[in-house]
Amino acid sequence: MEKVKELKSEIPEFNPETHKWDRELKKVVELTPKELAEIARRKRKADLEKRFKPLIANNVYYQKAFGVRYNGQYVVSEHDEIAQWDRDNLDDFEQKVLKLEAAKKEMDDEAAKNKPLEDRRKEYQKIDHLFLEALAESGGMIVDGVEKPSEKMQAYLKLRDEIKARFPK
């Protein structure tokens, strides 16, 4: 039991972010400031790459952020342009990722704003057949000199009012 306690006291504290195992010295040594800076740089680059990958899954965000570029009369492929980016220049690369994220946020906000109108339009498309049938009938009843819409038109107008109530602008 005492040997176990002795061995535990001989084992130095090891933090992989600040220490490494030196094979020549056969002991744990602290990382140099240069090595720590390189580890921080690699972590930052990995984080930027992780954020960057979903933004270039399709070209929508790229075109929103950077626009369509032309080389004479031909469109420059965004894949070719991205391949030429220097991803080792982290400050420049981070600015491009931030620009893509801003474009994504702008497009997501716009989509959220237009969603109720899109939902309403989809619901209207579901009842368009009633409107067409009512127009084909187009025979309303005349009561007291006022034309009343047909039953199908009344059903269509009722459904339309329900949709307006469910999906306000």
Side-chain angles (χ1 to χ4, degrees), residues 123-158:
E123 290 295 319
Y124 283 159
Q125 288 175 352
K126 291 178 184 176
I127 63 168
D128 280 347
H129 67 282
L130 288 175
F131 181 66
L132 294 174
E133 289 175 13
L135 284 178
E137 250 182 38
S138 72
M141 297 182 348
I142 298 177
V143 178
D144 297 329
V146 178
E147 184 177 355
K148 285 186 94 179
S150 66
E151 289 179 22
K152 288 187 179 181
M153 184 60 87
Q154 288 176 348
Y156 169 76
L157 292 173
K158 181 180 176 190

Side-chain angles (χ1 to χ4, degrees), residues 20 30-42:
K20 70 177 179 179
E30 286 190 25
L31 293 172
T32 64
K34 189 176 183 180
E35 292 170 326
L36 288 171
E38 181 59 29
I39 289 172
R41 187 188 161 292
R42 283 195 310 259

Side-chain angles (χ1 to χ4, degrees), residues 48-58 87 93 97:
L48 287 172
E49 289 286 346
K50 182 179 164 189
R51 289 169 37 202
F52 180 65
K53 286 290 182 194
L55 296 172
I56 59 166
N58 59 31
R87 295 186 185 184
F93 186 52
V97 170

Side-chain angles (χ1 to χ4, degrees), residues 86-146:
D86 181 14
R87 295 186 185 184
D88 291 328
N89 181 353
L90 295 183
D91 292 333
D92 182 47
F93 186 52
E94 183 176 26
Q95 291 304 314
K96 291 175 180 175
V97 170
L98 289 173
K99 195 169 185 180
L100 286 167
E101 286 175 337
K104 180 185 184 311
K105 182 175 179 353
E106 183 181 333
M107 291 178 77
D108 289 348
D109 291 346
E110 187 176 325
K113 179 182 150 194
N114 292 334
K115 186 172 178 6
L117 295 175
E118 292 293 325
D119 291 342
R120 181 187 255 190
R121 190 173 306 131
K122 287 177 186 174
E123 290 295 319
Y124 283 159
Q125 288 175 352
K126 291 178 184 176
I127 63 168
D128 280 347
H129 67 282
L130 288 175
F131 181 66
L132 294 174
E133 289 175 13
L135 284 178
E137 250 182 38
S138 72
M141 297 182 348
I142 298 177
V143 178
D144 297 329
V146 178

Side-chain angles (χ1 to χ4, degrees), residues 17-32:
E17 295 192 10
T18 58
H19 296 79
K20 70 177 179 179
W21 178 258
D22 191 332
R23 292 181 185 198
E24 293 174 5
L25 299 175
K26 296 192 183 203
K27 68 176 189 175
V28 175
V29 295
E30 286 190 25
L31 293 172
T32 64

